[in-house]
Structures are given as C-alpha cells and as structure tokens.
Amino acid sequence: MNMTELKPANRVLMGPGPSDINPRVLQAMSKPVIGHLDPDFLTIMDEIKSGVQATFRTENDLSFVVSAPGSAGMETCLVNLIEPGDEVLICIHGVFGGRMADIAERAGAKVHKVEAPWGEPIDPQQVKMALEDMQPKLVAIVHAETSTGVLQPLDEISAMVHAAGALLVVDAVTSYCGEDLDVDGWKIDAIYSGTQKCLSAPPGLSPVSFSPKAVAALEQRKTKVQSWFLDLSMVKNYWAGAKRAYHHTAPVSSMYALHEAYRIVLEEGLENRIARHRRNHQELRAQLESLGFEFLVAEQYRLPMLNAVYVPPGLDEGDVRKRLLLEHNIEVGGGLGKFAGKIWRIGLMGESCTSNHIGMLTHALRKLI
Ligand SMILES: *Cc1c(COP(=O)(O)O)cnc(C)c1O
C-alpha cells in the first residue's frame, strides 16, 4: 500500500467549527511528548485546570477536560447525573438539544421535553409549566444552538430550575470564549464545551465543570455510571484528587495545544474577546445584508459567532459553497436537519473572527453570486 503524503490546504475556516488555529497553538503540538504522569506534565495539567476555571468563570474544584470532543462532554454531564428512572427536562430548539434527549433516554431517564421552533429560543414560561408536572433531577439546555444561530438567555430559566430543586446542565460548546458566560454567577451545575469553536484549539477535547451541588449528586448515586471511561468518580481522582492516579493516557500533544490556546485567550482577556466577536458580527451582518442574505434569528437572540442566514432565492447554495471552498479556500457551513439546503451557517469563531476574514469572504461572494 502506498500512502500519500499529508498536504491539507490552508483553508479559511468560517463554518460551525473547527475554526482557524493560531500558529502558536500548532507549534505547541509539535513539542516533545512526555509521560502523562511526568511531574512536568502534571504542572501543565494544573495550569489547564486553572484555564478551565478562568474561562468558565467558576471556582468549581471539579473543573477538567474530557479527552474526547464536545459530544463526550455532553455525555459526561448527563450520564454522571442521571440514574435509571430519574425524571429530567430537556429543552430542544435545535440539533444539540435533540442529542441531549437521546443520551438521557439511553441513560435510562424518564425524559420530559420543552421545544421551541427552530430559530427561536426556549420560552421560560414553558419550562416553568413543565417543571410543575414532574420531579426533576435536572434540566438541560443549549446556550448557543449552533444548528440555528440562537443565543438562549439563561437567567430566568436558571432561577426556575433551582426553585424546583433541580440541577442546571448547560451546553456552552459554541458560546464558550466568545460570548458572555458566567458559570458561578448563573448558578450552572454542570457545563461542557469544546475546544474547536471560539477557543480555536484543535477539535477533540471537552472542558467540563461540576458545581459542589452536582458533585454531591454524584456522591449520592446508588447505581454505577453506565460508562467506565466517563465515570467521574474515577476521572476526578486524576483532576481533583490529591494524587494523580492513572485513569487513561492523556492526549499529551492536544493538551499542549489547549494550554497555549488558553494563554492566548487570557492574554486577550475574556471581555475583549467577547467585544471582538460582537463587533465583527455587526460588520459581517452589514456585508451579508448588502449581498441579499437575511438572518434567520430575531436580532436580540442572534449569536455573534454563528451567523445563520437564508440563502438568497435562486442561488444554488451547494454549488456556491463548493466553489467558495475549492476556488477561494473558504469553508462556510450548510444547514443542518430541517434547514439543510436552506440556510448557511457562517462562523466568526476565535481566530476566524477578524475583519480580514469578513473581507475575504465578502470579496469571494461578490465574485460568485
Ligand atoms: C459542536 C457542538 C457540539 C458537539 O461537539 P463535537 O466536538 O462536535 O462533539 C455540541 N453542542 C453544540 C452546541 C455544538 O455546537
């Protein structure tokens, strides 16, 4: 067998993730691999844990990184908090809420659902009503729905969830390091994200944090977590224990990349980073509207880092997207699920959120349409 040399093109990544990666992060990945229990590596892991806490804005001791992508972070939060027979409420306003419901069902929960039409946020009143008819262990909701471009307000819902005595589980994969997110201030009990969106590290890792109340729920479990790999009663001995016990071999090079990506975020400052995402969203919006694209989501609920727009009538969206990629090296996302073929999802995430990116995309679009 003759394997060809790897020669990936230098794409400009403006889809729903992964986003462009800073050369400093790529360089970090090329450093020598050391053992995952080497004292030097343990220092790196301690700093990564501080990075997780700073970026989630939390003091939770159980703040760590799952050695697998965002979906594994989702599964970690749900399978550790759910025991068979538990009643849970899952809010669904796009693909990722649906994925949470699927995981909760597989974990044996009795799943209640609140849904919103795609492109709209969940209505807190519906959450309140649903909670009255059940004994909720937890409520799970997506903060930034990447399939529709909706930013979900969480304050009212958080208050209702806690009044009902339930735990609040939040998917912050796309909002993380690009929009306002305050885990302690918003009383989020379990949160997960991914590294390849606004953090601009390579895909394949998932930062996660559990509040003391969520940790208490773990400790009160009567049954074993169904997943060995994701069972936090063991993982936590590595991340939060006094001694770092072997659990699995950490993806050392990916952790180097994450470490450097956190350094970059903290150098810029979270507030500045959020302001940059909002500013560039406005610039892209003006350009897209002048090209005939309309936004799917009402203005007050739009995600700055994921612009969901209707493709102008008469445009062969598949063909234009292919030419953007092959002739201009620019990737944008198509629609998912019921929006396939109807919308584009244009990402302005992390390193891909610059005026220069907007210029490249609009220049290419003016040539193609
Ligand atoms: C991307 C994404 C995920 C899944 O992350 P993977 O790294 O692809 O597993 C989950 N939720 C949301 C909102 C996402 O945007």
Side-chain angles (χ1 to χ4, degrees):
M1 187 197 158
N2 188 14
M3 285 182 69
T4 54
E5 187 190 344
L6 269 184
K7 285 186 206 145
N10 256 313
R11 303 281 198 224
V12 175
L13 298 176
M14 300 184 71
S19 55
D20 283 352
I21 297 184
N22 189 300
R24 276 173 54 185
V25 173
L26 294 175
Q27 252 162 21
M29 290 187 88
S30 66
K31 303 217 161 152
V33 170
I34 57 178
H36 63 291
L37 296 173
D38 185 309
D40 288 353
F41 190 68
L42 299 182
T43 305
I44 293 168
M45 296 295 255
D46 283 339
E47 290 193 6
I48 288 175
K49 178 174 166 181
S50 304
V52 175
Q53 290 170 320
T55 46
F56 275 141
R57 295 173 66 193
T58 183
E59 293 185 358
N60 289 342
D61 188 39
L62 190 52
S63 296
F64 58 102
V65 181
V66 179
S67 303
S71 304
M74 180 189 289
E75 192 137 358
T76 298
C77 291
L78 293 171
V79 302
N80 278 280
L81 294 175
I82 292 172
E83 291 193 73
D86 282 347
E87 287 192 71
V88 305
L89 179 64
I90 312 285
C91 302
I92 304 178
H93 54 126
V95 167
F96 295 102
R99 189 174 293 182
M100 293 202 289
D102 190 357
I103 294 174
E105 269 160 22
R106 288 164 193 249
K110 181 161 182 278
V111 176
H112 301 250
K113 296 175 187 171
V114 167
E115 303 195 38
W118 283 34
E120 292 178 24
I122 298 286
D123 174 5
Q125 285 314 312
Q126 277 187 275
V127 173
K128 193 172 177 196
M129 272 160 49
L131 287 171
E132 280 165 8
D133 294 332
M134 59 185 288
Q135 299 234 301
K137 172 88 171 276
L138 64 84
V139 176
I141 190 162
V142 177
H143 185 217
E145 203 12 289
T146 321
S147 59
T148 64
V150 168
L151 179 63
Q152 172 72 48
L154 291 176
D155 44 353
E156 251 182 287
I157 290 177
S158 173
M160 290 167 179
V161 171
H162 291 109
L167 298 164
L168 177 62
V169 177
V170 171
D171 175 319
V173 177
T174 285
S175 50
Y176 184 56
C177 296
E179 243 310 323
D180 205 10
L181 177 66
D182 183 354
V183 170
D184 286 357
W186 300 353
K187 298 191 163 55
I188 295 170
D189 293 299
I191 189 159
Y192 59 91
S193 189
T195 44
Q196 77 275 31
K197 304 203 182 182
C198 298
L199 179 55
S200 282
L205 293 176
S206 177
V208 170
S209 186
F210 273 53
S211 72
K213 209 170 121 195
V215 173
L218 289 182
E219 282 161 0
Q220 284 155 20
R221 285 186 69 103
K222 293 183 192 72
T223 56
K224 267 189 172 183
V225 173
Q226 64 174 54
S227 161
W228 180 87
F229 185 67
L230 302 176
D231 183 347
L232 290 181
S233 63
M234 294 183 285
V235 173
K236 88 175 192 291
N237 294 333
Y238 187 85
W239 284 93
K243 67 170 177 33
R244 301 268 179 169
Y246 166 74
H247 179 260
H248 66 273
T249 310
V252 172
S253 307
S254 296
M255 291 294 183
Y256 292 167
L258 178 60
H259 184 272
E260 192 62 20
Y262 277 143
R263 272 166 40 90
I264 292 171
V265 169
L266 298 173
E267 280 167 22
E268 181 177 16
L270 274 178
E271 296 300 321
N272 294 335
R273 200 172 175 92
I274 292 165
R276 171 164 64 85
H277 281 83
R278 293 180 180 167
R279 191 169 63 239
N280 286 320
H281 160 69
Q282 291 304 340
E283 185 180 329
L284 176 67
R285 169 203 179 167
Q287 292 290 340
L288 288 175
E289 285 176 349
S290 77
L291 281 159
F293 290 87
E294 280 176 27
F295 276 79
L296 171 76
V297 178
E299 196 169 342
Q300 73 265 39
Y301 300 118
R302 273 179 210 160
L303 284 175
M305 67 285 288
L306 197 283
N307 296 265
V309 286
Y310 289 110
V311 178
L315 195 98
D316 181 344
E317 75 86 21
D319 182 62
V320 177
R321 254 190 317 124
K322 195 162 135 205
R323 292 182 62 195
L324 267 179
L325 187 70
L326 301 181
E327 295 169 23
H328 297 271
N329 265 324
I330 299 174
E331 178 179 276
V332 300
L336 276 186
K338 57 185 85 164
F339 286 133
K342 299 200 176 78
I343 65 164
W344 278 1
R345 294 177 303 141
I346 303 174
L348 288 176
M349 299 181 174
E351 293 288 318
S352 297
C353 181
T354 72
S355 211
N356 212 6
H357 283 79
I358 297 167
M360 285 189 277
L361 174 65
T362 47
H363 175 80
L365 282 176
R366 283 185 207 284
K367 281 190 166 176
L368 292 175
I369 63 180

